[in-house]
Amino acid sequence: MIVEVVDSTLVLLTVEEAARRLRIGRTTCFKLVSTGELESVTVGRLRRVPADALPAYVAMLRRPALAA
């Protein structure tokens, strides 16, 4: 069994780290970033996902289910 250690102090995550935390594929996560569904920022030439964007994305996914 592989146990991933998550550093909760990180403010910005790579797209790969965000994908692992969301338990989705890397390609899917890159697509979410490129379409703007998952917030991201540019730092120099790097693309990063704010850690607080992950719970915001999940909340956005849950809104239609809560309205039904």
Side-chain angles (χ1 to χ4, degrees):
M1 178 169 74
I2 298 174
V3 178
E4 180 181 342
V5 177
V6 176
D7 184 353
S8 62
T9 62
L10 292 177
V11 177
L12 295 174
L13 308 169
T14 65
V15 177
E16 290 87 353
E17 289 168 335
R20 280 195 300 274
R21 287 191 184 187
L22 290 170
R23 301 290 196 256
I24 62 175
R26 177 181 173 276
T27 304
T28 301
C29 196
F30 272 104
K31 185 175 181 179
L32 291 172
V33 166
S34 70
T35 61
E37 291 181 72
L38 180 59
E39 180 188 357
S40 66
V41 296
T42 303
V43 181
R45 295 180 65 206
L46 304 173
R47 176 64 52 184
R48 294 293 182 252
V49 177
D52 61 350
L54 302 182
Y57 173 71
V58 172
M60 187 246 335
L61 290 176
R62 295 181 71 184
R63 279 190 198 113
L66 295 175

